[in-house]
Amino acid sequence: MIFSLFSLDKSVIAALMIPMVPLLFVGYRHFFGNFTTELHSSRRVEEALRRGDVPTELERESFPAFLLGGSGAQTDLADLLLRKPFRPHPLAINGHLQTLLASEMRNSPDVPFDRLKVPLSDGEAAIVDQVKCQGDPLPDDTPLVVMLHGLAGSSESNYIRHFISYVQKRAGDRRFRLLVLHARGAAKNDVLSKPLFYNAAFTRDLIEVSEILRDQYPSATKFLVTFSMGSNIATHTLAEQGENTPFDACCAVCNPYNMHMISNNMQRLPGLLYSKALVKGLHQFLRRNESVLDGAVDLKKGLETTTVHEFDKAVVVPLHNYTDVDAYYTAASSHDKAHRVTIPYLAFGAADDPISPVDAQPRSECADNTLFATTCSGGHVAHLEMKSFRAESYIDKVCYSFLEAVLEWQEFQRKSQ
């Protein structure tokens, strides 16, 4: 998720909530509307999916492989997206309320981790939290899931922990090897050893870790399940790796795609309120790594910033040697690179996402291995359902169904050989 409100004082939360009150009326209009899922791939796929058709033998090549079962029947993922549409919780009936309640009111399940420090080529260590499992060590061919959090997130983020909890509830703790890769400098209780931290285009750590996982678990299916800025980094990485990626499939949730567009949105109301909330988390990051970053960036200037745009200009641009903030946003955008992703790729989000605009999705540029699934409502990394906004979300169901759908398709391919 792009930000967390848990550490914010109540005045900031109130400042965010007050402008949202009039939007309740907009939310009710959507609440009584049709909460179907809009799917985009090739035109033939789009038209067939809207009709709910099962593909014929001749049409099968036009469909994303991960939507098909071995017999040509739709998988649980397709059934979920097509026939079990998202219906929001009555208290979270528009994108702003979804986003705020998911961050402020949703609990954080207890998930036990083993912390691993993976040496990297530049002398830094990637921080990976691996979910503990009961009994003997997992077999080397156990399907592996690497999760990437959003800006200012970590393995402590409630959306990460809820997804893990849902996977364990549905499949037990031995079906998947579950890993959370922290963006450089993001892990709590850990500080940088070098004056370099992540940004929206920082792919180096994921690329190195993916190669290590390729060598360590050569026979395991490898997934990426990513959120917000983590989805942007994953898309960059997959585009850069192309056919040589060790990953077999990716589920990207609420990818912002176009950094110019998101920056423009967050420099005016209501996006400005999210920006002001987010920058407080970035200030905490600077303070936690002050001893390492001092001298590499102007800490005083960085701590005086009041928006993400100001922070990027004052801290990210000089630290990563960009000429200016526009050059950084151009380099960091993934909308013009997503077409180079070669593996099954599900982009899931909401049309009312107040942070990652749906207009930034590069739907027409991507090949048939990519499917864009967008609900009318759902907010940013939220999708809180009717049952309870403290329980699992629609996102958890979609991501888990994606994992199983890809494994089902792989099994069908193996049996067909």
Side-chain angles (χ1 to χ4, degrees):
M1 197 171 185
I2 276 220
F3 69 98
S4 174
L5 298 179
F6 289 114
S7 61
L8 301 184
D9 58 59
K10 298 302 179 184
S11 62
V12 175
I13 295 172
L16 283 166
M17 289 296 291
I18 289 173
M20 306 308 172
V21 173
L23 297 174
L24 283 170
F25 298 102
V26 178
Y28 273 109
R29 176 175 62 82
H30 287 297
F31 183 69
F32 292 109
N34 180 18
F35 281 88
T36 56
T37 303
E38 188 178 12
L39 301 172
H40 296 263
S41 186
S42 71
R43 183 168 297 278
R44 293 176 68 195
V45 173
E46 181 179 341
E47 292 173 353
L49 287 174
R50 287 183 184 280
R51 296 192 303 269
D53 292 348
V54 176
T56 66
E57 197 70 27
L58 293 176
E59 290 176 319
R60 180 174 296 176
E61 291 183 359
S62 296
F63 277 71
F66 54 84
L67 277 182
L68 298 174
S71 64
Q74 291 169 354
T75 61
D76 288 343
L77 173 63
D79 185 63
L80 178 68
L81 295 175
L82 290 167
R83 297 186 174 86
K84 299 176 183 177
F86 169 70
R87 289 194 174 276
H89 191 280
L91 297 180
I93 49 182
N94 62 52
H96 297 290
L97 292 174
Q98 281 276 338
T99 303
L100 292 168
L101 289 174
S103 180
E104 179 62 14
M105 300 298 294
R106 203 179 183 201
N107 65 351
S108 186
D110 183 28
V111 176
F113 291 105
D114 286 321
R115 175 152 291 186
L116 311 175
K117 294 191 175 184
V118 181
L120 300 173
S121 60
D122 65 354
E124 188 64 85
I127 306 301
V128 179
D129 282 350
Q130 178 169 319
V131 178
K132 293 182 179 180
C133 63
Q134 301 296 321
D136 297 330
L138 295 173
D140 286 349
D141 62 352
T142 301
L144 184 152
V145 181
V146 177
M147 288 160 274
L148 302 184
H149 57 80
L151 186 62
S154 70
S155 61
E156 296 182 8
S157 298
N158 64 18
Y159 53 91
I160 291 281
R161 289 178 175 239
H162 268 286
F163 173 64
I164 293 171
S165 179
Y166 185 78
V167 171
Q168 292 180 326
K169 173 184 173 182
R170 289 290 305 272
D173 64 357
R174 300 186 64 80
R175 169 66 164 160
F176 296 96
R177 191 186 307 274
L178 301 170
L179 309 172
V180 181
L181 172 60
H182 288 89
R184 185 174 295 206
K188 301 297 189 291
N189 305 316
D190 198 89
V191 297
L192 294 167
S193 62
K194 296 179 178 295
L196 183 66
F197 61 85
Y198 72 99
N199 63 43
F202 195 79
T203 62
R204 183 189 310 174
D205 291 357
L206 178 56
I207 288 175
E208 289 199 34
V209 169
S210 73
E211 294 298 334
I212 292 170
L213 293 175
R214 187 208 299 266
D215 294 339
Q216 190 168 356
Y217 304 108
S219 59
T221 298
K222 301 171 186 64
F223 293 98
L224 279 168
V225 175
T226 62
F227 303 88
S228 193
M229 196 193 70
S231 295
N232 193 71
I233 293 172
T235 304
H236 268 276
T237 301
L238 294 172
E240 185 174 340
Q241 292 177 321
E243 297 283 354
N244 295 320
T245 182
F247 293 106
D248 296 284
C250 175
C251 184
V253 177
C254 297
N255 189 349
Y257 286 107
N258 190 318
M259 294 301 159
H260 292 285
M261 190 176 293
I262 192 175
S263 177
N264 291 338
N265 286 348
M266 294 182 75
Q267 291 186 69
R268 59 178 183 268
L269 291 173
L272 183 62
L273 299 173
Y274 293 99
S275 184
K276 287 183 177 295
L278 174 57
V279 81
K280 290 181 177 291
L282 296 175
H283 290 169
Q284 292 178 356
F285 171 82
L286 285 183
R287 293 189 183 98
R288 188 169 70 246
N289 293 280
E290 183 175 359
S291 61
V292 179
L293 294 175
D294 189 25
V297 296
D298 188 334
L299 288 175
K300 182 176 183 295
K301 188 175 181 180
L303 292 171
E304 290 175 348
T305 57
T306 60
T307 67
V308 175
H309 185 271
E310 290 178 1
F311 183 90
D312 289 340
K313 185 176 181 180
V315 179
V316 176
V317 167
L319 189 64
H320 291 274
N321 298 314
Y322 290 106
T323 54
D324 54 36
V325 71
D326 286 334
Y328 164 51
Y329 290 155
T330 297
S333 295
S334 62
H335 70 283
D336 56 349
K337 304 169 183 70
H339 67 280
R340 300 205 301 268
V341 175
T342 61
I343 60 175
Y345 179 97
L346 174 63
F348 184 71
D352 66 356
D353 188 326
I355 294 172
S356 298
V358 68
D359 293 345
Q361 295 178 352
R363 296 173 177 176
S364 61
E365 289 85 359
C366 292
D368 285 346
N369 63 293
T370 298
L371 185 70
F372 290 90
T374 306
T375 57
C376 298
S377 182
H380 187 75
V381 195
H383 279 85
L384 306 180
E385 292 191 284
M386 292 286 290
K387 182 179 179 181
S388 171
F389 53 71
R390 293 181 180 272
E392 66 265 10
S393 72
Y394 195 72
I395 287 174
D396 301 324
K397 298 175 183 178
V398 168
C399 292
Y400 173 76
S401 296
F402 171 79
L403 302 181
E404 294 291 0
V406 172
L407 291 175
E408 182 179 338
W409 177 249
Q410 289 182 334
E411 180 65 19
F412 169 68
Q413 290 180 311
R414 280 192 289 268
K415 290 180 178 179
S416 301
Q417 292 177 351

